[in-house]
């Protein structure tokens, strides 16, 4: 009997897995999406200026390349339209049930998938594609609920709030803030940006694609493939530098630092402001950001950058550690996501009632970022240690989708029943990941990549290595817990 597959989440990851399963002949696939449409982070993040910081030719599924991107770095509405259009054209949208929030998973010789609406789905295989950037975080600052005006997270943008003539406080200077601050700076009467840690921001080599460009890609698909490959190779150079062991690491990071410094000096003339915008950690330790208008926005006369620690939110504004109340009419949280809280909003109980969140109490870990012992036929997409410091995450998602499709195909063929990683393989893989990450650039500072002492989000190597490791399932790492007593799975 064909396995029943439930996928949680209808973003790039979930839809990509659905496509891979359909291509491998698995038809009983249901995608559960808590929102009212597909799109994932590109549906949720609609703040002014939202755009991708990965070049467009590489930011698409390999099986649905797009010759019609309007520019090198595509804006949010265009990416969302691409996801919607592709899902409809490939028949994936028909698999999606929207408005269904999964609240729990329980193993009982198969998975019971429980939802907020009370419906329970039965599945042989469950794929979590909820991602690392789906749960916005608002810091637990005293008085946060007392602010008198509109207050909202960048991923829950209030388009009904008119910012014209308003005093706006933006807390956070990460990837979202770097885009939204320039996006609203011309509307507001005054803006205060609260910075805990300055980011490295370099020039974004953006450009509009011409009609001739589009005609070339339509007429000669190999030209699009060449641009995609060239972009991939360039981003892999950066990934190599972030590994820390490459001979390129020091010279490449030094070159990027030089470009950043020149960018800062060229766009910010005030020496005092420049000093506040210099990061206090090594380049690459946190996410490198790309913007042509972040520094000019901060240099505007009606914008103030505050580096004193935020200690309280009050009805009239934001109080900092120097005792000053920074008055504001609107408060925007640019404070990121619960990236290390994998599956945090879903209760997951595996074999013998094991609680996945207990297993992950000291940090999430999964073999290849995909599978955990004691939780058979449960696979994660964009799981622990699969995020990138550079390049396109879609390449990682496609590698995971192909691996999952191979495993589900084995189940469909009757060669396995309930598949999970062997504990020894899981532990060995985790030791490898933490050993490599412990000597890499991300170990040199505190960031959203960490969960306590562990780096739980990032992959320590290049995309190409991850793709090689997932190109074929290593069945010796897995066992079939659906038989009487766990047993290793041998190759065909």
């Amino acid at each position: 009997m064909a396995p029943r597959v439930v996928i949680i989440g209808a973003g790039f990851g979930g839809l990509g897995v659905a496509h891979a399963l359909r291509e491998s002949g698995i038809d009983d696939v249901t995608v559960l999406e808590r929102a009212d449409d597909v799109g994932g982070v590109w549906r949720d993040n609609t703040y002014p200026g939202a755009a991708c910081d990965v070049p467009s030719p590489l930011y698409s599924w390999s099986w649905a390349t797009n010759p019609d991107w309007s520019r090198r770095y595509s804006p949010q509405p265009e990416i969302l339209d691409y996801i919607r259009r592709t899902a409809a054209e490939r028949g994936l949208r028909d698999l999606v049930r929207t408005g269904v929030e999964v609240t729990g998973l329980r193993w009982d010789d198969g998975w019971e998938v429980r939802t907020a609406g009370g419906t329970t789905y039965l599945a042989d295989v469950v794929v979590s594609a909820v991602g690392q950037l789906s749960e916005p975080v608002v810091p637990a600052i005293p008085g946060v609920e007392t602010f008198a005006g509109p207050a909202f997270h960048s991923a829950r943008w209030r388009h009904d709030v008119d910012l014209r003539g308003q005093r706006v406080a933006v807390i956070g200077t990460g990837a979202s803030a770097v885009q939204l601050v320039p996006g609203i700076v011309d509307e507001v009467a005054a803006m205060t940006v609260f910075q805990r840690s300055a980011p490295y921001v370099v020039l974004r080599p953006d450009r509009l694609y011409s009609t001739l460009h589009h005609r070339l890609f339509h007429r000669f698909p190999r030209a699009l493939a060449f641009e995609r490959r060239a972009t991939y190779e360039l981003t892999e150079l950066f990934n190599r530098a972030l590994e820390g062991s490459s001979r390129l690491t020091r010279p490449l990071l030094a070159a990027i630092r030089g470009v950043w410094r020149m960018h800062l000096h060229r766009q910010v003339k005030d020496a005092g402001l420049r000093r506040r915008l210099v990061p206090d950690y090594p380049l690459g330790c946190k996410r490198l950001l790309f913007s042509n208008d972040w520094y000019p926005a901060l240099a505007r006369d009606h914008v103030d950058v505050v580096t004193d620690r935020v200690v309280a939110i009050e009805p009239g504004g934001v109080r900092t550690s120097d005792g000053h109340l920074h008055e504001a009419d609107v408060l925007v949280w640019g404070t990121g996501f619960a990236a290390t809280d994998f599956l945090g909003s879903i209760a997951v109980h595996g074999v013998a009632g094991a609680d996945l969140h207990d297993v992950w109490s000291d940090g999430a870990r999964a073999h290849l970022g995909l599978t955990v012992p004691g939780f058979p036929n449960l696979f994660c997409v964009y799981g622990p240690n699969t995020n990138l410091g550079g390049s396109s995450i879609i390449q990682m998602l496609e590698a995971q989708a192909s691996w999952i499709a191979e495993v589900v195909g084995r189940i469909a063929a009757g060669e396995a029943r309930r598949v999970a990683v062997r504990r020894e393989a899981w532990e060995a893989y985790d030791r490898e990941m933490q050993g490599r990450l412990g000597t890499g650039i991300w170990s040199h500072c505190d960031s959203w990549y960490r969960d306590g002492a562990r780096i739980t989000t990032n992959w320590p190597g290049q995309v190409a290595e991850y793709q090689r490791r997932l190109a074929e399932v290593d069945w010796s790492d897995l066992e079939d817990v659906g038989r009487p007593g766990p047993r290793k799975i041998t190759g065909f």
Side-chain angles (χ1 to χ4, degrees):
M1 186 174 67
R4 299 161 296 177
V5 182
V6 167
I7 300 170
I8 308 171
F12 268 117
L15 294 173
V17 172
H19 170 78
L21 290 171
R22 291 281 292 271
E23 289 294 294
S24 64
I26 307 298
D27 293 320
D28 193 347
V29 178
T30 302
V31 183
L32 303 181
E33 170 55 57
R34 67 182 180 183
D36 60 0
D37 198 1
V38 302
V41 296
W42 296 107
R43 177 200 58 240
D44 294 343
N45 288 267
T46 62
Y47 57 83
C52 191
D53 59 5
V54 175
S56 302
L58 196 57
Y59 203 77
S60 61
W61 285 298
S62 64
W63 42 271
T65 55
N66 181 18
D68 294 317
W69 294 119
S70 66
R71 59 189 315 118
R72 181 173 286 151
Y73 292 88
S74 297
Q76 173 268 334
E78 195 171 347
I79 298 171
L80 179 57
D81 179 70
Y82 164 79
I83 296 172
R84 288 170 170 166
R85 185 179 69 253
T86 304
E89 291 174 350
R90 299 300 179 108
L92 302 176
R93 186 63 182 81
D94 297 336
L95 308 178
V96 181
R97 300 183 186 181
T98 58
V100 180
E101 181 178 4
V102 174
T103 58
L105 302 172
R106 180 171 292 277
W107 173 261
D108 184 13
D109 199 32
W111 286 105
E112 295 179 0
V113 183
R114 299 174 181 177
T115 69
T119 302
T120 297
Y121 294 84
L122 301 180
D124 301 299
V125 177
V126 172
V127 179
S128 167
V130 299
Q132 296 185 20
L133 306 176
S134 59
E135 297 294 338
V137 166
V138 173
I141 299 173
V144 67
E145 73 287 347
T146 68
F147 186 70
F152 48 91
H153 193 278
S154 60
R156 300 292 184 266
W157 194 265
R158 289 275 304 277
H159 290 279
D160 62 319
V161 176
D162 188 354
L163 299 180
R164 288 175 296 181
Q166 301 293 301
R167 298 169 298 176
V168 177
V170 178
I171 298 181
T173 54
S176 298
V178 163
Q179 294 182 344
L180 75 87
V181 165
I184 64 174
V185 71
D186 289 330
E187 296 183 44
V188 305
M191 183 187 299
T192 307
V193 178
F194 295 89
Q195 173 185 274
R196 184 177 63 177
S197 177
Y200 284 97
V201 182
V202 297
L203 186 72
R204 184 171 69 172
D206 199 7
R207 64 178 288 262
L208 281 169
Y209 286 142
S210 66
T211 301
L212 179 61
H213 188 102
H214 292 140
R215 286 176 181 170
L216 175 67
F217 281 178
H218 274 283
R219 187 170 181 180
F220 302 104
R222 288 187 179 181
L224 177 59
F226 175 81
E227 184 177 42
R228 181 181 173 92
R229 184 68 190 184
T231 304
Y232 166 78
E233 295 294 348
L234 185 62
T235 59
E236 282 285 72
L237 280 177
F238 185 59
N239 287 330
R240 286 181 62 188
L242 294 178
E243 285 184 82
S245 58
S246 169
R247 288 182 296 178
L248 288 173
T249 297
R250 287 189 177 182
L252 184 53
L253 293 182
I256 296 173
R257 184 178 176 85
V259 169
W260 158 76
R261 188 174 296 279
M262 182 174 63
H263 185 51
L264 174 62
H265 276 257
R266 180 177 295 169
Q267 295 195 323
V268 180
K269 303 304 180 185
D270 182 86
L273 178 57
R274 277 205 309 269
R275 283 193 294 272
R276 279 177 279 164
L277 299 178
V278 174
D280 59 358
Y281 54 86
L283 187 146
C285 184
K286 297 183 181 182
R287 185 175 175 180
L288 180 68
L289 304 180
F290 299 85
S291 175
N292 301 334
D293 45 16
W294 167 248
Y295 289 139
L298 299 184
R300 299 284 291 274
D301 290 339
H302 66 298
V303 178
D304 187 21
V305 178
V306 175
T307 57
D308 295 299
R309 183 170 56 90
V310 173
V311 296
I313 305 297
E314 300 181 14
V318 180
R319 183 81 64 178
T320 48
S321 57
D322 61 352
H324 184 68
L325 177 66
H326 302 268
E327 295 182 343
D329 305 307
V330 180
L331 174 58
V332 177
W333 298 99
T335 44
F337 302 87
T340 61
D341 193 15
F342 296 87
L343 285 159
S345 63
I346 301 175
V348 184
H349 294 90
V351 175
D355 188 327
L356 180 62
H357 298 298
D358 288 343
V359 175
W360 283 352
S361 60
D362 62 344
R365 62 196 77 184
H367 182 65
L368 302 174
L370 289 162
T371 173
V372 180
F375 297 85
N377 290 8
L378 174 64
F379 307 112
C380 295
V381 172
Y382 201 6
N385 296 121
T386 62
N387 184 55
L388 296 171
S391 200
S392 170
I393 192 62
I394 298 175
Q395 300 169 102
M396 303 287 280
L397 301 178
E398 289 193 2
Q400 294 157 20
S402 295
W403 189 96
I404 292 169
E406 185 177 347
V407 171
V408 176
R410 188 76 178 261
I411 295 170
E415 297 291 334
R417 185 179 174 208
R418 305 291 184 253
V419 178
V421 64
R422 294 187 298 109
R423 181 168 294 277
E424 311 92 88
W426 176 65
E427 292 174 344
Y429 182 80
D430 183 61
R431 285 194 298 271
E432 178 197 349
M433 291 297 100
Q434 295 306 309
R436 292 172 62 177
L437 289 163
T439 59
I441 189 72
W442 296 311
S443 66
H444 297 169
C445 67
D446 186 29
S447 71
W448 63 266
Y449 300 147
R450 287 179 171 274
D451 186 358
R454 293 171 53 83
I455 298 172
T456 58
T457 59
N458 283 16
W459 166 248
Q462 297 175 64
V463 173
E465 179 195 349
Y466 189 78
Q467 290 172 326
R468 286 194 300 270
R469 293 177 75 154
L470 271 68
E472 292 185 5
V473 175
D474 185 347
W475 296 102
S476 67
D477 288 336
L478 307 177
E479 62 185 10
D480 189 344
V481 300
R483 310 282 182 174
R487 68 179 182 88
K488 289 184 181 180
I489 304 173
T490 58
F492 283 118

